[in-house]
Amino acid sequence: MTTRKIIHIDMDQFFAAVEQRDQPELRGKPIAVGWDASRGVVSTASYEARRYGVHSAQSIQMAKRLCPDLIIVEPHFHRYKEVSNQIRDIFHDYTDLVEPLSLDEAFLDVTRIKDMLATDIAKEIKQRIVDTTQLTASAGVSYCKFLAKVASDWHKPDGLTVVHPDRALDFIAKLKVEKIWGVGQKTAEKMHRMGIFTGSDLYQHSLTHLTQEFGKMGQVFYNFARGVDTRPVVAEWERKSVSCERTFEDDISQSAAVIIELYHAVTELVRRIEKSGFLGYTLTLKVKFHDFQQITRSMTVNKVLTTKDDILPLAKQLLSEVDYTTHPIRLLGLGVSNHKEATTTATPQWREMELHFLPWPDEQ
């Protein structure tokens, strides 16, 4: 069986790097890309800002407290998309098996390239990105997606790390579980309570035990601890949903205010549906309350949801199931999913779902 050659390319501080490139006065200074508002969130922080503890997904207000000299830069998503397209064009010069994960990272399967080592391909791609965009990227090279992605983060910025199959188990054994794909904060805390801190610790646990503790992810963790990841690089990506969400400056609980924001969410969602051409039958409402508790409510109907007239009445129905008069709303989101043929029944189906919501404004 041929050993696969997988490269993971991850741009360094991508949004911040583009801003520093295009605005020379920002170079060498601590910046955070995001909207400077009471509920603003950091999209990307420059390395100068990260030294103070500023990081992505952090509130802008917290970031400013950590770094008093922090410069907040509003994002320019259309520019990031342009640069991302330039980078992907470079990828496709080497292989058609390119799986973008976001604007700033992707997997490449270069197994079919016989006249170049994967390491040399990664080096060449990194240099071409610099020459074309004046930006740096970090690369990870291995025989599977799991290790290639971990490796790309190993020596940032502008790093290149190779995990050879012969050294994979030693590499994984020393790996902190927080570095393993699928291990978030809560899962890491649970693993720590179980005495699992490294890949070596994880390796000691049986498949049965891990499955009992972590469900389906137990199989994934069991395999990763043994260097097993057979997931292919998927070049053909199918959109699973279209969504939007907004965090409010102030929590809202008045019916009129909530309905107005729901209307704005529907309008934004319809714009994104028109832009993407997505056809879906399930509408999901996402609500995060003032105390950060979050709920979702979903409804599936037997017609494609594409217009305001289709979506607004359903959104109001879903909202009617939410008690916000005593639980003010901090965030409101809407999404359409379920890209299938319509159901044969005209009766709406209610269920709770999880969607990956995207914030707006969105200029992508």
Side-chain angles (χ1 to χ4, degrees), residues 38 54 68 72 76 86 108 121 130 135 147 154 163 166 198 212 301 309 318 327 348:
S38 61
V54 179
I72 309 301
H76 298 88
Q86 289 179 298
L108 291 75
I121 295 171
V130 171
L135 303 174
L147 287 172
W154 209 249
V163 180
D166 293 342
T198 66
Q212 287 173 344
V301 295
D309 291 340
L318 295 175
H327 297 80

Side-chain angles (χ1 to χ4, degrees), residues 163-287:
V163 180
H164 192 274
D166 293 342
R167 298 192 295 273
L169 291 181
D170 289 338
F171 180 85
I172 296 168
K174 301 173 184 176
L175 197 64
K176 292 183 179 180
V177 291
E178 289 85 351
K179 294 288 188 180
I180 295 175
W181 179 85
V183 178
Q185 180 179 347
K186 290 184 178 179
T187 300
E189 291 173 355
K190 183 174 182 178
M191 286 186 173
H192 291 170
R193 291 195 296 271
M194 295 168 60
I196 303 173
F197 295 89
T198 66
S200 178
D201 298 330
L202 187 61
Y203 189 94
Q204 304 304 317
H205 289 257
S206 69
L207 174 59
T208 300
H209 187 206
L210 291 175
T211 303
Q212 287 173 344
E213 295 290 338
F214 302 104
K216 293 180 180 179
M217 285 304 296
Q219 175 78 69
V220 176
F221 298 149
Y222 179 86
N223 288 340
F224 282 177
R226 288 155 178 76
V228 177
D229 178 13
T230 60
R231 292 175 298 161
V233 172
V234 181
E236 294 298 327
W237 177 77
E238 180 182 0
R239 179 180 286 275
K240 303 296 184 182
S241 64
V242 175
S243 63
C244 61
E245 66 178 31
R246 170 171 284 177
T247 300
F248 306 120
E249 290 284 333
D250 299 300
D251 301 330
I252 58 175
S253 59
Q254 297 296 318
S255 178
V258 175
I259 292 296
I260 289 172
E261 292 299 340
L262 184 71
Y263 180 88
H264 290 327
V266 170
T267 302
E268 173 64 16
L269 180 61
V270 168
R271 184 187 73 81
R272 296 189 180 195
I273 290 172
E274 291 174 346
K275 183 177 179 180
S276 66
F278 183 80
L279 302 176
Y281 297 88
T282 298
L283 181 69
T284 298
L285 172 73
K286 172 182 174 181
V287 177

Side-chain angles (χ1 to χ4, degrees), residues 283-302:
L283 181 69
T284 298
L285 172 73
K286 172 182 174 181
V287 177
K288 183 181 290 185
F289 297 109
H290 66 104
D291 57 1
F292 289 89
Q293 291 188 13
Q294 179 176 301
I295 63 170
T296 59
R297 296 290 182 266
S298 298
M299 177 189 290
T300 298
V301 295
N302 65 343

